[in-house]
Amino acid sequence: MSGEKEATVRPKRETRLVDFLVQFRWIIVIFFVLPFSCLYYFSIYLGDVRSARKSESQRKKEHEENVKEVVKRLAQRDASKDGLVCTARPPWTVIGMRNCDYKRARSFKVDLSKFRNILEINKERMVAKVEPLVNMAQISRATIPMNLSLAVIGELDDLTVGGLINGFGIEGSSHIYGLFSDTIVALEVVLADGRVVRATKDNEYSDLFYAIPWSQGTLGLLVSAEIKLIPVKEYMKLTYKPVTSNLKELAQAFADSFAPRDGDQDNPAKVPDFVEGMIYSPTEGVMMTGRYASTKEAKQKGNVINSIGWWFKPWFYQHAQTALKRGEFVEYIPTRDYCHRHTRSIYWEGKLILPFGDQFWFRYLFGWMMPPKVAVLKATQSEYIRNYYHDNHVIQDLLVPLHKVADTLEWVHREMEVYPVWLCPHRIYKLPVKPMIYPEPGFEAHKRQGDTKYAQMYTDVGVYYAPGAVLRGEPYDGAKKCHDVELFLIENHGFQPQYAVTELSEKNFWRMFDATLYQQCRKKYKAIGTFMNVYYKCKKGKKTEKEVQEAEQEKAELDTPEVDEPAD
C-alpha cells in the first residue's frame, strides 16, 4: 500500500529566484504598472476624443497626407544597405506572448503611429472605414450609440484593426460572420514599390485581398480598411446554461447551444447572435447564448439588468461560473459592456497577475485602474521573467473543426491541464482561392453539425493560464508542449494564430498553413527583399542577420515538407 502511494508522488521543480520574482510581481503591478496603465489609457482616450472632434473631411485629408508620408519614407530605403521594412511600433506594445524579436535585427522602420482615426461610418453602405491603429474600444464607443457594431468585434479594448486583419480576430458572433478578416470589404495597402492600392474580393487586387489575413504585415503596409457593420440593439439578452458531465458531453452541449442538429444553420430563429462556452474543470462548463434586445424589452418587469462594465462588478468569467450553483439564468447586459466583457480581467489572466484582484475589496478600491496594460506589463519584465512565461505559461488558441472539439479538450486536459478553457465557434469559408487557412477538403459532403455548403464550423479552444503541473510546483517543459500543440493541430487540420510562440520548423509551419497564394503575392507584389517572410516574423527567438538574409532570399523548398516528430 505504501509502495502505491510512493508511486503516485510527483517530482517537484527546483525553486529558482525567478519564481519569487514572478510570485511577488504584483508589488510592481500595484505601485507602478497600474498607475502608468491608467495614464496610458487616458492619453489614448484623449487622442480618441480629439480625433472624434475633427470633421470627417479633415480626418480624410490627414489620412491622405499620412499615406503620402509612408510612400515617401519607403522611397528613402536603400535595399542594399537598409534592412527589411517593419513598422516603428516598439516591440513591447504588441499584445500576445510572441515578442517582436525580428525588429532587433537590421531593419528599416516606417512610422504608422498617426493612423488611428475612424475615417467614416457609412450607414447606407453599412461600412466603417478606419485606420489600422483604431482599437476595439474606440470603434465600439463610436458605433454602438448609433445602434451599429462591427460584425465581429474583439473582446479586449486594446486589439487593433490592423492586428486583427493581418493576424487573428474572433468574437462570439463569428459562428455567423466568420473571423474578423472575413468581415472586411476593402483594404488600402501601400506596396513595396510605393504603390497605393485598394484591394477587394472582386477587383484586380483580389488575390492580395485574400492573402493579407494571417500574413502579419509581410505583403504590404495596411493604411486603412473598410469593415462590415451590422445593426444592433441596446442590450444583450444572455442565457447562462450550466453543464456537468465529461469532456465529450461538454463539447456536445457547446455544439448544441448554437448549431441546430437538423442543419438549419442559417436560420436566425434557431441560431443565437452570440455564443461562447467556458470549461471550468473536466466535468463542469457553462454555455452562454445571447440575443440582441431593445431597452423596452430589457426594462420589462421581472427582467434583470446587469451592467457588468462597472469596475466593482465581479469578473465576467467568475460571474458566469455562478451558474454551476444557481442553475440556468437569464439577464440583460448593455451591449457595449457585453462586447468588452473580458477586458478588465484579461479573460482570467488577471488572476495570475494580481492573485487578489478579483476580491471585492480590491475591485471597489482599485478596480477602476484595471486592467494593467499589456504593453506596460511587457515593458517592465526582464528577460528572465519573459523566458519564465514562455516555459511555464500557456497562451494558445487552438482552431479546430467543431467535430474535433471533444478530442481537443481531452488532449489539452491530458497534456496541459489548464482551466478555464474558452470555447468560441467560428466559420472558415470555402473561398474561390485557397488562402493560408481553409476548411477540411470535402467537408461539405459529411454534413456535420454546424457546417453548411459554403463554410465549415470551427472552434477556438482558448487555453490561457498556468498549467496544472506548474501550479503544483512540478516540472513542465513549455517549449515541448508548445511544439506538441502545433503537431496536434497539423494532424487535425487545425490552426494556431501567429501571435503565439511557434516551435515549428519552417517546413512544418507550411504544413499547418497553405503557402501557395501567399508566396504568389510575395513575388507578384515585390514583397520579397522588402518585408520579412511570415515564418521568420513568427519564429521564436532573436533574429540574426543571417536569418534576415535567408528571409530576403525567400527559400522556396516547401513542396516536400519534412515531418517534425515529438521527442521520445
Side-chain angles (χ1 to χ4, degrees), residues 165 285 301 310 363 435 472 485:
I165 293 173
K301 186 177 180 180
W310 288 105
R363 296 200 313 270
R472 292 190 296 268
V485 164

Side-chain angles (χ1 to χ4, degrees), residues 484-496:
D484 291 346
V485 164
E486 294 178 298
L487 291 179
F488 174 85
L489 290 172
I490 291 173
E491 293 165 1
N492 290 277
H493 199 86
F495 306 96
Q496 173 181 272

Side-chain angles (χ1 to χ4, degrees), residues 39 107 171 273 327 442 487 554:
L39 293 174
S107 58
E171 232 287 15
D273 295 317
L487 291 179
E554 191 71 15

Side-chain angles (χ1 to χ4, degrees), residues 31-97:
F31 295 104
F32 181 83
V33 174
L34 283 181
F36 273 83
S37 295
C38 283
L39 293 174
Y40 202 143
Y41 281 121
F42 186 63
S43 67
I44 292 174
Y45 174 74
L46 290 179
D48 295 345
V49 171
R50 284 195 296 268
S51 174
R53 287 182 175 178
K54 296 175 184 176
S55 67
E56 186 177 299
S57 60
Q58 185 180 356
R59 291 196 296 268
K60 289 182 177 180
K61 182 180 179 180
E62 289 180 2
H63 173 75
E64 292 172 1
E65 292 172 352
N66 292 333
V67 171
K68 289 178 182 178
E69 285 296 317
V70 171
V71 174
K72 180 180 177 181
R73 172 63 177 160
L74 280 177
Q76 296 170 352
R77 176 175 175 263
D78 185 341
S80 63
K81 297 180 180 179
D82 298 320
L84 296 174
V85 173
C86 66
T87 64
R89 191 180 183 190
W92 50 270
T93 63
V94 176
I95 294 179
M97 286 289 286

Side-chain angles (χ1 to χ4, degrees), residues 12 22 33 61 97 101 104 124 163 228 252 299 310 317 329 332 366 377 399 404 408 434 463 491 506 535 559:
K12 293 294 182 181
V22 171
V33 174
K61 182 180 179 180
M97 286 289 286
D101 289 319
R104 300 184 185 185
E124 293 182 2
K228 179 179 180 179
Q252 185 58 56
K299 293 188 175 181
W310 288 105
Y317 82 95
F329 67 97
Y332 291 79
F366 305 106
L377 280 170
L399 311 187
K404 293 185 177 179
T408 305
K434 195 176 183 182
V463 187
E491 293 165 1
E506 185 173 2
Y535 170 72
D559 296 331

